[in-house]
Amino acid sequence: GMKISVLSKKLWCVHKQLILVLTPLVFLPLLFTLPEKEGKCLYVVVLMAMFWCTEALPLAVTAMLPVCLFPTLGILPAKKICPQYFIETNFLFLSGLVLASSIEEWGLHRRIALKVLSIVGVKPAWLILGMMLTSSFLSMWLSNTATTAMMLPIANAILESLFGDLETLKQKCKSVDDHENASFILSPDKLTDPRTAEESRAEAQYQLKVWKGFLICIPYAASIGGTATLTGTAPNLILIGQLKSYFPDCDLINFGSWFAFAFPLMLLFLFLGWLWIAFLYGGLNTRLYRRTQAEARAKALIKEDYRKLGPINFAEGAISFFFVLFAILLFTRDPKFVTGWSVFFKKGYVSDAVTGVIIVSILFFFPSQKPSLRWWSDPQALNTPYVPLLSWKKAQESVPWNIIMLLGGGFAMAKACEESGLASWMGGHLQPLAQVPPAAAVMLITAFLACFTEFASNTATIIIFLPVIAELAINVSVNPLYFMIPATVGCSYAFMLPVSTPPNSIAFASGHLMVKDMVKTGVVMNILGILSVTLAMNTWGIAMFNLNTYPEWAVPFNKSALVTNAHLSVAQSLNATL
């Protein structure tokens, strides 16, 4: 037994290296059992999937494997793979990230958060709602991770003003087996009867429960909020990038149309999630919660924190203006249900990426201090250097470049799946699924991805499965968006484990949550999410994206390729005869 445990410890120390060495060997048969090109492509896809799920390599490094493997295995030349790493979609994402860094730089996100919290009040259920609304709104624009990292300290400060110090609270929760001792410990005057001890223990346990509910709702709301805008989270951009690659003629999804679909879905799910969290963590129960002084303290704390921010300064006003302008211009470019401003430009030239980059570029020269004429005329005025709203140094530090690499790796992988014929080969093998009614398929796809994403990065999950899902839709003659949209949203529903997604890890790292808390809350959250998505797809989704019909743009590429080849050969023979 001793030897085994020593060996297993040693193996665990090098488990990532073992995965790196063994995975390529274990999956070698794929190269010899499948059709040549498809087999090679699947081999690379499986390697990447394994490395992403086990994080045997950093996510961004795995994302660079297409550059190493597709050219060397003869699947795609380097000049076709490399441009996939910074396509138009990445520019839209980058502009969102840079805008977020300027919002963080000037502390605007903190101001928004404290303002909302001062409005909702400090009763547990309402505070949890306030936390969830704020986190979800901020994560539509900031990254889910940054939102969680900012909201947690605010939550902890409010909780401490409500319930006092956490450690003392945990002491009070310790069981009252030994009544004598308990009453001595719990009460300043030594001679209280055990009943009050029991009561104060129940009160402490209730408070600890509310504390947990508070912490757990933040990463959940951030994940839900990320789904509402195209730039809110990486999987949404994978969807738009892969759509452009597979179905170049599909222009249904852009910032405005995605928001019109996903924002109501976010509100619905947030509301259901709030009811569940408030129910589970005692937010709905105010029986034990008669704490007028504590409430006044918490209210005062929020007010005080807001007051410390001072009046809105010029820079915050300017950032707010550009933030609103960014949103409005993206919403109104081509919202599909009304004519957008893109009609003023050459058709098909101006995209969401262009809009985002234009706004963000302004941040690098717009002044952060109010420009004044007096300064020019006053020789005594301080000649301080000109400070724009955002410096490149700050933007470079705060943009998560690894996610941009990850997006690129995803687009490169999708490109190879398409060009090698792997996607259509897989689609052919999914034929048996044609018997499943589409509405049920939507539920199954969302459920499967919402479960898979618990164990892998959200972005990696959608990269791996979206090509297959697109092919599946073509094979069963269903509008591809009917399967692809729910899959994309489902990937963001990572609620069950601390490792499911970075926001969960951050909340878990605060040390007050247990894995079982997250699993218990997360299972129901997943179910609520799957139901919400199914409802959204079959009601306003169908109406907005015309999902009842099989669209022109989705005629399988292999068919269209055959047609073009036929045309070419006809043309060639004509030329020859002439």
Side-chain angles (χ1 to χ4, degrees), residues 93-384:
F93 191 44
L94 183 66
S95 65
L97 293 169
V98 172
L99 180 73
S101 73
S102 72
I103 290 173
E104 288 167 38
E105 171 80 349
W106 295 102
L108 188 62
H109 55 331
R110 196 176 161 82
R111 189 181 285 280
I112 295 171
L114 290 168
K115 191 79 203 156
V116 174
L117 293 177
S118 65
I119 294 167
V120 296
V122 289
K123 292 255 186 292
W126 295 117
L127 251 183
I128 287 179
L129 181 65
M131 282 283 160
M132 290 181 79
L133 285 174
T134 316
S135 305
S136 59
F137 173 74
L138 288 174
S139 75
M140 285 160 58
W141 312 101
L142 313 183
S143 77
N144 302 356
T145 314
T147 302
T148 309
M150 186 219 61
M151 290 298 290
L152 279 171
I154 295 180
N156 275 321
I158 294 173
L159 286 162
E160 277 180 8
S161 73
L162 275 175
F163 303 142
D165 173 51
L166 184 75
E167 289 315 309
T168 335
L169 197 58
K170 282 186 175 159
Q171 275 323 111
K172 285 188 194 165
C173 286
K174 294 282 182 283
S175 98
V176 190
D177 295 329
D178 191 350
H179 280 303
E180 276 64 19
N181 294 354
S183 52
F184 282 139
I185 297 165
L186 282 170
S187 56
D189 48 353
K190 298 280 185 276
L191 298 160
T192 34
D193 62 294
R195 201 184 64 235
T196 20
E198 192 53 61
E199 263 175 23
S200 83
R201 183 178 139 243
E203 170 71 13
Q205 282 175 334
Y206 166 71
Q207 292 180 355
L208 198 63
K209 230 163 85 170
V210 173
W211 197 302
K212 282 181 175 177
F214 237 75
L215 296 181
I216 211 164
C217 78
I218 294 171
Y220 287 2
S223 291
I224 297 168
T227 60
T229 57
L230 259 193
T231 52
T233 184
N236 303 355
L237 292 143
I238 292 287
L239 169 73
I240 200 96
Q242 292 204 7
L243 268 178
K244 283 188 176 128
S245 173
Y246 283 122
F247 308 115
D249 301 335
C250 171
D251 67 336
L252 280 174
I253 291 190
N254 60 39
F255 198 94
S257 64
W258 177 268
F259 184 82
F261 166 76
F263 184 66
L265 167 60
M266 174 196 103
L267 291 178
L268 169 70
F269 188 18
L270 260 189
F271 178 68
L272 296 174
W274 169 62
L275 289 178
W276 166 238
I277 290 172
F279 163 75
L280 191 62
Y281 291 99
L284 297 177
N285 163 11
T286 45
R287 186 176 55 81
L288 286 163
Y289 191 83
R290 299 200 198 83
R291 287 280 176 279
T292 342
Q293 325 85 303
E295 282 187 26
R297 266 205 313 273
K299 264 206 173 103
L301 173 98
I302 297 172
K303 262 210 177 68
E304 177 58 20
D305 273 1
Y306 191 80
R307 201 187 55 74
K308 276 184 199 154
L309 295 176
I312 293 189
N313 58 25
F314 180 79
E316 283 182 299
I319 291 287
S320 310
F321 170 75
F322 287 118
F323 172 44
V324 171
L325 187 65
F326 177 84
I328 289 176
L329 286 178
L330 282 172
F331 291 145
T332 55
R333 183 184 66 84
D334 183 17
K336 302 298 172 203
F337 46 91
V338 285
T339 314
W341 54 260
S342 59
V343 293
F344 298 121
F345 296 92
K346 219 168 172 178
K347 187 168 164 42
Y349 273 56
V350 176
S351 71
D352 285 340
V354 179
T355 319
V357 174
I358 289 173
I359 296 292
V360 159
S361 305
I362 299 173
L363 302 176
F364 290 102
F365 65 79
F366 197 87
S368 60
Q369 304 279 297
K370 196 173 181 182
S372 80
L373 286 168
R374 260 216 331 270
W375 178 79
W376 288 97
S377 53
D378 179 5
Q380 251 61 57
L382 289 172
N383 295 333
T384 47

